[in-house]
Structures are given as C-alpha cells and as structure tokens.
Amino acid sequence: MIDLDALAGLRAVATHGSVVAAAGATGFTPSAISQQVKRLERQTGVPLLERVGRGVMLTSHGQHLVDAGEQVLNDLEQLEARLQQRAGVVAGRVRLAAFSTAMRGLVAPIARDLRDAHPDLTLTLREGEPWDVVDLVASGQVELGIVHRWGGVPLAVPDHVVATPLRGDVADLIVHCDDPLAVRDRVTPRDLLDVGWIATPEGTICRQWLSRMYDGTGRPPRIAHVSAEFESHLALVRAGLGVALVPRMGRAALGDDLVAIPVADPEPVRLVDALHRRTMAESPAVRAVLAAFDE
C-alpha cells in the first residue's frame, strides 16, 4: 500500500524542485522528506528521484506517480471535509496565508473570536504576496489564502481554486500636513504629475496599479523612494520625503502630521478575495473562517 503522507512529500518535491524547498514548504526536515521518498521507492519498487548536479529531479516513474496520485490526494481531502461536515465538527488545523495589510486588518481582528468560538480549531498564519498565496493554496500547502487585486491588474487563479469575494479596500493619498495638497478635498492623477512617490518595489501589484493610475496623463509616476511596507511609507511621508498611496485596511493611525486625501478618476479600489481548493468547499473549518470574515 502506498504511503499517502510520503506521496504528499513527493508531490512537494515536484512542486518546489528540491528536497530542501519541499521541506521548507511542508514543515518537515529535509531528512524526513528524503525518508518519505525512499519509503515510496521501497513500496513501488521503482526509482522516483534522480540526482542532477547538486539537485534532484523526478524520474518518469516519479512524475507518473505524482500525476496519478494528485487525484487520490484530492479525493481524500474532499472525503475528510465531507466527514467533518456530517459530524458537524469544526476542528483541526487551517493554514492561512495572506498579504500583510490583510493580516493586520482582516485576520488579526477575527483570530481571537474564532479561537473562542471553536477551541478545537487551530489557525496557522503566514504572510505572502498575492501570486505566492495563489500557489500556496493551489499546491495544497495552505487551506485558505487572502489575496488582493487592483482594478485593472489581473490575478490568475487555477480552475481547482475557488475565490470568495470579501470586503473591498480603498487607498488614499497620504501627504504631510505641510504639503500644499493637504487642503484638497480630493485629487486626481493629473494633480500628482510632479509629486515624488514613495512606492512599493517594481513588479508588485501595488506598484503596477500606481503605474496604471497614470494612464492617459502622458507621464509615468515619479518614484522618489522604494519601500515594501506601508508602515514604512507612512514614516517616510512623515519625514517629508514624498507622498504615498496607502490602503485603509490595516493602516495605522496617521496622527496630526499626516493627511489622507481621497483619489478619484480612477478611485484606487482593490478587490480582496479568499481562496480555497474546491475539495475544501465542504470543510466546516474553512466555512467557519469564511463566516468570521463575513461578520
């Protein structure tokens, strides 16, 4: 009989490309992953991994086992969810990955109430960029993911992953109280052609949105400073180093020296979704977490 835990370990190696990366993603040690693969090789009687330089790759037998075993693992996940639903049990572990402001603004506020309502449910949290969260959910490394996408910036989600809309989020222009813009009721991108932006790094979804916001102005945004965290953006604006576009979700209090100004044409609204695999749709634990977000 094929060891299903070992099969999941081999799938992690296939997904992440190495034993070390698979160990980091699953929480096992590299030695444990290697032992799982060796156990599978003894059970099947065929080699599943081969060394290539300093790394490993799946043999044709290993790839076939992962491809064929994927459906088995999915069926078992769905079976477990249905059994828990029949029993009305909200228990076990839900691994949840979310982007940073959702961790502060969505996940943290519900965590204590969720624990009090369901003491047998354990919530395990990790932060990640939206496209990384999609991969974590799709590959079975987490049960739930929270992602965001700005108006015109698409986020590809595989067919076997379900997206449930959560409440949206709006970003404001944050300026120092001494900035001439601080007295405005609202601004548009054409009002911001000459400002120096404190922006997230190139390639991030928020940076992509900032660039698209300037479509039709004939000018790209002028990036003065780059920082990954919105908390740092606020600190840099407070120091008079530029302006920033900061979402309201999870945003710290601005204090007396910072001013938030609504932006229009376009309004910077980001859509927030909760992701889970279709096989987890009937899981009482997943439903309990989604219900907590709704409340």
Side-chain angles (χ1 to χ4, degrees):
M1 181 70 70
I2 290 176
D3 186 315
L4 295 177
D5 288 336
L7 179 57
L10 182 65
R11 180 178 65 175
V13 174
T15 299
H16 299 284
S18 74
V19 170
V20 172
T26 59
F28 290 100
T29 64
S31 176
I33 294 291
S34 295
Q35 290 302 317
Q36 288 178 340
V37 174
K38 289 177 181 177
R39 187 159 63 249
L40 273 181
E41 289 179 330
R42 290 195 299 269
Q43 292 170 344
T44 59
V46 295
L48 303 175
L49 291 180
E50 59 182 347
R51 289 201 167 277
V52 178
R54 295 184 177 180
V56 296
M57 66 177 294
L58 270 67
T59 64
S60 61
H61 300 303
Q63 190 61 56
H64 174 73
L65 181 57
V66 168
D67 292 342
E70 187 74 29
Q71 188 59 52
V72 174
L73 293 173
N74 289 341
D75 288 345
L76 284 173
E77 185 174 69
Q78 189 172 47
L79 175 60
E80 181 179 5
R82 287 176 175 173
L83 284 172
Q84 290 177 344
Q85 182 192 37
R86 285 172 60 87
V89 174
V90 179
R93 180 180 66 164
V94 171
R95 298 167 295 180
L96 187 152
F99 57 96
S100 59
T101 50
M103 196 69 79
R104 295 195 296 270
L106 281 179
V107 179
I110 65 141
R112 180 177 292 276
D113 289 343
L114 195 62
R115 183 181 61 188
D116 291 344
H118 307 290
D120 294 326
L121 177 66
T122 299
L123 199 61
T124 303
L125 308 175
R126 63 189 291 182
E127 284 189 7
E129 287 293 321
W131 44 76
D132 295 328
V133 171
V134 171
D135 290 342
L136 290 170
V137 174
S139 62
Q141 296 175 64
V142 300
E143 283 69 50
L144 274 171
I146 308 298
V147 298
H148 70 82
R149 51 195 169 88
W150 294 92
V153 181
L155 184 66
V157 176
D159 290 339
H160 70 287
V161 173
V162 178
T164 301
L166 302 180
R167 65 182 178 89
D169 189 21
V170 177
D172 297 309
L173 176 72
I174 306 299
V175 301
H176 194 277
C177 61
D178 293 334
D179 192 299
L181 292 170
V183 299
R184 300 285 297 272
D185 293 329
R186 70 167 196 164
V187 293
T188 71
R190 292 189 179 279
D191 300 318
L192 306 172
L193 296 179
D194 298 316
V195 302
W197 284 100
I198 298 156
T200 56
E202 189 70 45
T204 60
I205 290 179
C206 293
R207 179 70 167 270
Q208 291 172 4
W209 167 255
L210 180 61
S211 296
R212 291 193 180 198
M213 197 172 78
Y214 275 69
D215 287 352
T217 65
R219 298 259 299 273
R222 185 168 67 84
I223 308 301
H225 306 283
V226 175
S227 173
E229 280 292 327
F230 289 122
E231 291 295 313
S232 299
H233 290 204
L234 296 180
L236 295 176
V237 175
R238 189 171 284 114
L241 298 181
V243 305
L245 191 68
V246 181
R248 295 173 187 173
M249 180 185 294
R251 189 168 74 197
L254 299 181
D256 295 333
D257 49 357
L258 296 182
V259 177
I261 306 169
V263 180
D265 302 327
E267 182 185 34
V269 176
R270 61 177 180 174
L271 308 177
V272 181
D273 294 323
L275 306 181
H276 63 79
R277 294 179 298 286
R278 292 188 186 277
T279 52
M280 299 296 293
E282 297 177 71
S283 164
V286 168
R287 288 184 172 184
V289 178
L290 292 177
F293 285 133
D294 284 341
E295 294 172 3

